[in-house]
Amino acid sequence: MEGHGDGRAVSNGIPPPPFALPYPDSPEVITANVLKLAELTKDSRKQFLFKNLLVHLHQFINETSLSTEEWMDAIQFLTRVGQKCTDIRQEFILLSDVLGASALVDAINNPPVQGGTESSVLGPFFTEDAPDVANGESIASEGKGDPMFVEGRVLSTDGTPIPNAVIETWETDADGFYDTQYATREKPDCRGRVRSDKDGWFGYRAVVPVAYPIPGDGPVGDLLVGTGRHNMRPNHLHMMVEAPGFRKLTTAWYPEGDGFLESDAVFGVKKSLVVKLEDVNDEAEARKRGFTKGSSFKLLKRDIILVSQKQSDETFKKNAEAAAKNAAA
């Protein structure tokens, strides 16, 4: 709470608006007044966003004749979403995911460019503490799941190898949990940071991903139950790839055959990201890739094609201009 040294409350220092506003005696005047005040926003982009948000919010309230009880339910729901967030759990991202907002923002901001690897949703389980993992090493500790080797090259759209690209990767264990979901988490597991070599190649040991439910112990889980939707995600391996001069790529690979590929709870699966896992049963190959036990493992082999920042900006601008033209029509 802000106040003077003597305990009095203080304003934020902004004076009244330089124009008169009528008393808000009707729904129409309330909306008009709020939109007029939004014009005080100095940043033109923020003003545009804020005014559009207000227009659609007020339109929704009017069109649905929202009751006071429904409004309070919504306030309490959003309050619970915020209260569920921690340093390693983001319930608001989860809410954005299940509403399709994350996928929509991703699709608009990362338009497909011919030949480039398509993007996918970030999800709520990315962390900043992934350890550096050398090529050929493992991102998962012993016993976390069935063995899998992931390899490929990082290339530009013209096929040029991209060396020293940073690849953040993370996944669940065989029980369908991310490391952050364990109360006993002491260090990162089933996640790591790999770099492509001089030829653009990367490779690391991991575990075969499994389908899993997104957290159902919070308000987003309640929302799915209340709207009759399942909370399952198909098995997948997350990746975030960065290299100078290229658009940052957040994506995931989804092994084929999963029953939830076409009804992903967070709308993250794109057809081009569905991959085939190869069955390898060769002891020599297993040892070559660093597996010390058994002779069988799954092989996920797929190149990552990065789009230059220039290509990305040009495509985004073209799509934005087309969207604006259609909106004005």
Side-chain angles (χ1 to χ4, degrees):
M1 182 172 64
E2 295 183 62
H4 286 292
D6 59 6
R8 289 181 298 154
V10 296
S11 77
N12 63 6
I14 299 176
F19 46 77
L21 293 172
Y23 285 105
D25 293 333
S26 70
E28 293 78 16
V29 174
I30 293 171
T31 299
N33 283 359
V34 172
L35 291 175
K36 184 65 177 177
L37 286 170
E39 294 176 3
L40 296 173
T41 308
K42 294 180 180 180
D43 184 284
S44 60
R45 176 62 179 175
K46 288 181 179 178
Q47 182 182 136
F48 171 76
L49 294 173
F50 192 42
K51 288 186 73 173
N52 273 273
L53 172 64
L54 292 171
V55 166
H56 291 293
L57 175 61
H58 282 234
Q59 184 178 17
F60 170 79
I61 293 171
N62 278 300
E63 289 180 349
T64 60
S65 297
L66 196 70
S67 70
T68 302
E69 291 76 16
E70 291 166 336
W71 170 77
M72 183 53 70
D73 284 345
I75 296 294
Q76 292 174 340
F77 172 79
L78 292 175
T79 300
R80 290 175 57 213
V81 171
Q83 291 170 338
K84 199 67 177 178
C85 294
T86 69
D87 290 342
I88 55 176
R89 173 167 176 172
Q90 240 300 350
E91 193 79 359
F92 267 111
I93 289 182
L94 193 63
L95 175 61
S96 175
D97 288 348
V98 303
L99 294 179
S102 299
L104 183 57
V105 170
D106 173 68
I108 291 172
N109 283 271
N110 298 284
V113 175
Q114 186 66 36
T117 298
E118 289 197 86
S119 59
S120 187
V121 295
L122 174 68
F125 297 109
F126 171 75
T127 67
E128 299 284 355
D129 62 351
D132 289 321
V133 176
N135 277 317
E137 296 300 316
S138 180
I139 67 169
S141 58
E142 192 69 26
K144 283 296 181 178
D146 294 332
M148 178 175 73
F149 196 85
V150 182
E151 68 175 338
R153 291 188 301 163
V154 183
L155 307 170
S156 65
T157 53
D158 64 4
T160 302
I162 302 175
N164 206 36
V166 179
I167 305 165
E168 295 260 6
T169 182
W170 65 103
E171 62 173 336
T172 66
D173 58 22
D175 293 323
F177 292 109
Y178 288 91
D179 57 349
T180 55
Q181 293 178 277
Y182 288 100
T184 57
R185 183 186 194 255
E186 296 180 350
K187 61 180 182 179
D189 203 353
C190 292
R191 65 179 72 237
R193 185 181 298 110
V194 183
R195 286 174 170 79
S196 59
D197 68 12
K198 62 181 179 62
D199 299 314
W201 183 85
F202 66 92
Y204 58 91
R205 301 195 305 278
V207 294
V208 177
V210 298
Y212 66 89
I214 61 175
D217 61 342
V220 174
D222 294 340
L223 174 67
L224 292 180
V225 171
T227 53
R229 288 173 52 188
H230 74 68
N231 66 340
M232 294 298 295
R233 291 218 66 197
N235 56 350
H236 59 279
L237 176 73
H238 287 280
M239 286 185 154
M240 182 187 295
V241 190
E242 292 186 81
F246 293 88
R247 180 178 72 191
K248 180 179 180 180
L249 173 67
T250 299
T251 192
W253 287 328
Y254 299 83
E256 64 184 15
D258 191 290
F260 296 103
L261 283 173
E262 296 179 357
S263 64
D264 181 8
V266 305
F267 310 97
V269 183
K270 295 176 181 175
K271 188 175 182 180
S272 68
L273 300 178
V274 178
V275 298
K276 181 178 180 60
L277 297 186
E278 180 183 343
D279 291 308
V280 179
N281 190 1
D282 185 309
E283 186 172 349
E285 285 294 319
R287 299 298 174 268
K288 175 183 175 182
R289 287 176 167 80
F291 296 111
T292 59
K293 297 179 181 179
S295 60
S296 62
F297 62 93
K298 298 287 188 181
L299 177 62
L300 196 170
K301 191 171 184 178
R302 175 68 73 94
D303 291 337
I304 298 171
I305 313 299
L306 296 184
V307 174
S308 73
Q309 193 60 56
K310 181 180 179 181
Q311 287 176 297
S312 176
D313 292 344
E314 290 174 348
T315 304
F316 177 82
K317 182 179 179 181
K318 179 180 178 181
N319 289 353
E321 290 173 348
K325 184 177 180 180
N326 291 334

